[in-house]
Amino acid sequence: MPFKRSTRLAAPLSRRGFIKGFAATAAGLYVPKTFANIPHEHERHIALHNLHTGEKVKLTYWEKGNYLSESLAEIDHVLRDFRTGDVHPMDPALIDMLHVLRLRTGRKVPFDIISGYRSPKTNNMLRSNSNGVAKKSLHMQGKAMDIRMPGMDLHQLHKMAVDLKVGGVGLYSESNFIHVDTGRVRYWGS
């Protein structure tokens, strides 16, 4: 049977229909900056050293396109509020940020963790003792860490984190750490 071409014309696309179609296409093409900065690989690894508890973890937390829930739970435990013992899920995008930062440094040593998750109780206590602690700190949402890397110049680590163009990056030279978070992109330093 020969192919018969339809003579029926499609209804004209309305302006609203065009905009909806364009928006859907754009949303499908959006790649968060955190993921755009991650090289194509089959596994992602992280190494952390909590300076307050002495705990260390070195593990694969992502494999074949999936986050590994047991590994993330172990990371959450190491990054818990050491003052209260409260554990909170850490943002996987934050772990990805550290993974990319570690790759950029070319070092295999673990990040020293000064602060990971912070409970509201701890955050309020720290706020009462310092004017540098935010009332709505992203630490309380598992979206921020204060870190340094042994043997790495702090200013250089800060610059590398800023160059990722993902989230907030703060330099605290006097306290010897940088702050990284997955909030809006912004930078500060002292």
Side-chain angles (χ1 to χ4, degrees):
M1 177 187 272
F3 176 74
K4 185 175 180 184
R5 186 176 197 123
S6 171
T7 56
R8 183 173 175 254
L9 297 174
L13 189 59
S14 70
R15 183 173 183 228
R16 180 174 284 160
F18 174 77
I19 291 171
K20 282 183 181 178
F22 180 78
T25 301
L29 296 175
Y30 173 74
V31 176
K33 288 182 182 177
T34 304
F35 303 113
N37 288 325
I38 297 176
H40 179 71
E41 55 198 350
H42 297 290
E43 294 181 341
R44 296 180 196 155
H45 311 276
I46 194 75
L48 307 169
H49 175 212
N50 186 319
L51 296 178
H52 298 286
T53 65
E55 294 167 299
K56 293 182 181 182
V57 65
K58 182 179 181 181
L59 49 73
T60 300
Y61 70 92
W62 185 91
E63 198 172 58
K64 298 177 185 170
N66 296 299
Y67 290 101
L68 305 175
S69 57
E70 287 181 18
S71 295
L72 292 179
E74 194 171 342
I75 291 168
D76 295 344
H77 178 76
V78 169
L79 296 175
R80 72 190 178 279
D81 184 329
F82 74 93
R83 292 174 179 91
T84 65
D86 293 349
V87 176
H88 187 277
M90 297 301 290
D91 183 356
L94 182 62
I95 308 304
D96 286 337
M97 187 179 183
L98 290 184
H99 170 73
V100 172
L101 188 56
R102 187 169 174 224
L103 289 176
R104 297 261 174 106
T105 68
R107 296 176 182 257
K108 301 283 186 198
V109 298
F111 285 102
D112 285 343
I113 306 301
I114 291 86
S115 182
Y117 170 68
R118 212 185 277 161
S119 68
K121 179 180 178 180
T122 294
N123 201 69
N124 288 335
M125 182 272 296
L126 293 173
R127 279 191 76 236
S128 68
N129 296 325
S130 170
N131 62 359
V133 177
K135 183 177 183 177
K136 294 182 179 182
S137 171
L138 291 175
H139 286 276
M140 296 189 300
Q141 298 174 37
K143 294 182 175 192
M145 279 190 243
D146 298 335
I147 62 168
R148 65 177 166 244
M149 183 175 266
M152 180 83 182
D153 177 75
L154 195 65
H155 290 85
Q156 187 178 3
L157 186 62
H158 176 260
K159 182 181 179 338
M160 287 179 169
V162 166
D163 289 346
L164 293 177
K165 295 178 177 39
V166 178
V169 181
L171 174 65
Y172 295 89
S173 300
E174 294 286 319
S175 301
N176 193 28
F177 71 83
I178 68 168
H179 168 97
V180 292
D181 68 51
T182 56
R184 63 184 172 76
V185 176
R186 65 217 186 282
Y187 314 113
W188 64 96
S190 61

